[in-house]
Amino acid sequence: MYLMDRDDANSRNHSRFSDLGELDHPTGFPHDDAVDLSRNSIYNMKHDDVSIVSNINLGGLNSSIEIGVGEGVEVDARPLMFQKDAGVVTVASSAPLGNGNFENWAESVIADSQQTDTSTDVENDDKTQFRGAHHGTIVVVDSMDHSKRTGDQKTLRRLAQNREAARKSRLRKKAYVQQLENSRLKLTQLEQELQRARQQGVFVATGYSGDQIHPLGGNEGQFKLLLSSLIHGGPSHFYEAIVRKLPRAFVLCACLQLTEFHCSLISLLMTMFSGALAFDMDYARWLDEHQRLINELRCAVNSNMADNDLRLLVDGVMTHYDEVFRLKSLGAKSDAFHMLSGMWKTPAERCFMWLGGFRSSELLKILGNNLEPLTDHQLMGICNLQQSSQQAEDALSQGMEALQQSLAETLSSTPLGPAGGSGNVADYMGQMATSMGKLATLENFLHQADLLRQQTLQQMHRILTTRQAARALIVINDYLSRLRALSSLWLARPRD
Amino acid sequence: MHYQTQSWGGYMAPRNMSVDPLERIQKLASENAVVIFSMSTCCMCHAIKRLFCGMGVNPTVYELDEDPRGKDMEKALMRLLGSSSAVPVVFIGGKLVGAMDRVMASHINGTLVPLLKEAGALWL
C-alpha cells in the first residue's frame, strides 16, 4: 500500500523532493513547442500538503506558475488508470513513456519513502487514503487485508519499479539536456546575428558608402541594432526577478521560452516596421548631415571662398541630395504608404507636401526672388524650369486623381450595402486583385515625383553659376528650416 | 487628342496579319508628330496624356487594350524598352522618346519643347 502520511510528508517533503531533483529536473519538459507546455499538468507541491492538482495550464508566458517548496516538478497527467493488484494499488498511466508520468513520479516518491523507512508507520494504518487529492482526480486506496501476504512480492515489485523509474528519469534527463543544447545553439546564433547587425549598423553610421553595403541590409542592421540594445538593456530587471524567485529549472524554462518569444518578436517587428522605422532613422541622420554641409557652405559663401573650392562644396551638397532620393526610393519600395503619409516630416511640411515630398515649382518661385542678379538667359532658364516642373506636377497630380477614381470604381464594382453583402466571393476576390494592381502603381507615381524633384534640382544647378547655386541651396535649406521651426512652434503653442 | 482604334481598312486585313508588331509600331509612330501608346486602364498613361495636353500638344493615342493586336504590340514594346511595363510610350517625330521618366526628364532639362517644335507639334 502506498500511502503518504500527512505528518511524514511534512518533514520529508524536502528530502524527498531533493532526491527527485537529482533524478530529474522538470520531468518531461517538452520544449519543442510552447503550446505543448500548456497541455501538461503541474504537480503543485505545497509546504504542508501533498496535493495533486491536475490540468493547470502553463499557457505560455502569462500564466502564473505555482511553485511550492522550491522544486517544481512538471508531470504529464494523462487519464489515469487504477489497477488493484493483490492489495497493491498501482497507478498506471496510459500516457506514453518519457513524458513524465504520474506513475513514475509517485513511484519515485514512494520508493524514496520506502528507503527512508517511513512506510512501516504508514502500513500499519487500516484504512488510509492517499491524501491531498484536492481536485478529486486521484485517490489511491489500499486494502489492508492482503498486505502481509504479498509483502515480499510488493518489495520485489517496488524494486523493479524503482529501477524502471530511474531508467525513465535518466532518459528524460537526456532529452531535456538535448533541448537545452539546442536552445543554447539558437541563442548563440541569435547573438552572432545581432553582432553582425551591429557591425552593419556601424557602417551606415559612419558614412553613406551605400554602394559597398546592400542598402536594405543596412537598414535592417540599424533596426536590429536598435532592438538588440532594447533587449539587452531593457528587461534585464525582469530576468533578474525570475532568477531570484524561481528554481533553476524554471529559470531555464523561462529563458528558453523568452528566447523563442524574442526571436519571433524580432522577426515580426522587423517585417512590420523595418521599412518605415529604418527610413525615419536614415532620414533624420541625412538631415543632420545636410544641415552641417549647408552651414559649411554658408561660411564659405560669407568668407568669399574661391569658386573652385566653392564648387566642391556645392557638388558635395548635390551628391548628398542624391543620397536622400536613394533613401526615399528604398523607403518607397518597403512602405510606399509611409512615404506618402509624410509622417517622417514635421507637421507643417507634411501639410504642404506634394506626393511624398516638397513641391519643386514652389521652391523655384521662392528662389526666383532671392537669386538676383541673374542674366536674362538664366532668368529664362529658371522661368522655364518653374513652368515645366509645374506642368509635370499637374500631370502627376491628375494621374493620381485618376488612380483614386479608378480605385473607387473598382471597389464599388460589385454591389455594396446590406443586400450586396452576400455577393459572389469570386467577384470580390477579383475586385481585390484588380485593386491591388492599382495600388502598385502608387509606388510608380511616388517614384516619378521624386525623380521630378531630383531633376529639377539638377537642372537648377546647371543653369546657375557656382556662387548662385551655393546661394540657392542655402536659400532652399533656410526656407525648409523655417517651415520646420514653424512646426515646432505650433506644436509647443500654449492652448487654453 | 486623337484616339485611333482602327488604322487600317478591312480589305487590308490579310496583309496586316503578317506585319511584325514592332514594324507596326514604327509605322504608326511615324504617322503623326506625337504618338502615345497607352492603355485605357493605366493611370500613368493618363498622366502623360495630361502632360502633353497641358503643353498644348495634340498627341495621337493608341489604346493597346482596345486593339486586336494589342497584346503583341505590348510585348514588342516591353522588349524595346527593356522594362516590365510597356505603356506609356511616347514617339515624337517618329523617334522613340521613352516612358514617363524619360519624357519628364527631357521636359525638365528643356529638350522636350524644341523636339516638339521640330516635329511640328508645337508652335510658339
Side-chain angles (χ1 to χ4, degrees), chain A residues 414 424-436:
Chain A
T414 62
N424 190 352
V425 171
D427 285 345
Y428 179 79
M429 298 292 275
Q431 200 180 35
M432 284 299 155
T434 315
S435 306
M436 288 286 281

Side-chain angles (χ1 to χ4, degrees), chain B residues 26-45:
Chain B
Q26 298 283 18
K27 184 138 192 23
L28 294 173
S30 51
E31 281 175 3
N32 295 93
V34 180
V35 173
I36 305 178
F37 291 98
S38 150
M39 275 203 260
S40 54
T41 54
C42 168
C43 297
M44 196 54 83
C45 301

Side-chain angles (χ1 to χ4, degrees), chain A residues 149-311:
Chain A
R149 257 184 280 148
T150 58
D152 290 333
Q153 283 178 15
K154 267 201 284 187
T155 318
L156 285 171
R157 206 175 292 119
R158 249 181 248 136
L159 289 170
Q161 281 159 350
N162 283 352
R163 284 196 295 276
E164 192 55 35
R167 189 180 70 83
K168 282 176 194 166
S169 66
R170 278 196 300 274
L171 285 171
R172 278 195 301 274
K173 189 178 182 181
K174 225 181 183 180
Y176 178 67
V177 168
Q178 187 60 44
Q179 282 163 0
L180 274 178
E181 287 298 316
N182 292 342
S183 306
R184 204 182 302 142
L185 243 138
K186 253 194 226 173
L187 261 170
T188 39
Q189 277 173 6
L190 190 68
E191 275 172 9
Q192 281 170 2
E193 219 179 296
L194 283 172
Q195 198 57 37
R196 247 180 283 127
R198 220 171 267 134
Q199 286 168 352
Q200 277 183 333
V202 170
F203 276 134
V204 180
T206 52
Y208 299 95
S209 50
D211 28 324
Q212 289 165 25
I213 338 144
H214 179 53
L216 199 58
N219 290 341
E220 272 181 25
Q222 264 181 50
F223 189 66
K224 281 185 197 175
L225 172 65
L226 177 73
L227 267 179
S228 71
S229 54
L230 280 173
I231 289 166
H232 287 277
S236 61
H237 59 279
F238 174 59
Y239 294 142
E240 281 161 32
I242 294 180
V243 169
R244 256 182 271 120
K245 283 184 194 158
L246 299 182
R248 190 157 53 103
F250 267 91
V251 171
L252 285 164
C253 156
C255 285
L256 292 170
Q257 283 198 59
L258 282 167
T259 311
E260 285 217 342
F261 175 66
H262 275 141
C263 291
S264 44
L265 177 66
I266 288 168
S267 49
L268 174 72
L269 284 176
M270 276 207 289
T271 45
M272 276 168 64
F273 296 125
S274 60
L277 186 60
F279 174 77
D280 287 4
M281 280 163 56
D282 285 338
Y283 179 71
R285 204 178 289 123
W286 180 88
L287 203 55
D288 288 340
E289 178 66 17
H290 181 69
Q291 295 285 41
R292 192 186 68 78
L293 290 171
I294 292 290
N295 287 333
E296 222 179 293
L297 198 59
R298 199 193 309 272
C299 294
V301 169
N302 288 336
S303 64
N304 288 318
M305 190 186 274
D307 263 17
N308 289 332
D309 300 326
L310 199 61
R311 190 180 306 125

Side-chain angles (χ1 to χ4, degrees), chain A residues 385 388 391 395 398 402-403 444-445 448 451-452 455 459 462, chain B residues 43-44 46-47 50-51 54-55 100-101 104-105 107-109:
Chain A
L385 183 59
S388 50
Q391 285 166 348
Q398 288 182 52
L403 180 63
N444 197 6
F445 273 99
Q448 297 298 335
L451 276 179
L452 176 60
Q455 281 153 12
Q459 177 69 1
R462 256 176 257 133
Chain B
C43 297
M44 196 54 83
H46 181 85
R50 297 253 58 88
L51 180 65
M55 289 194 280
M100 179 55 133
D101 51 348
M104 220 169 49
H107 190 36
I108 294 298
N109 66 25

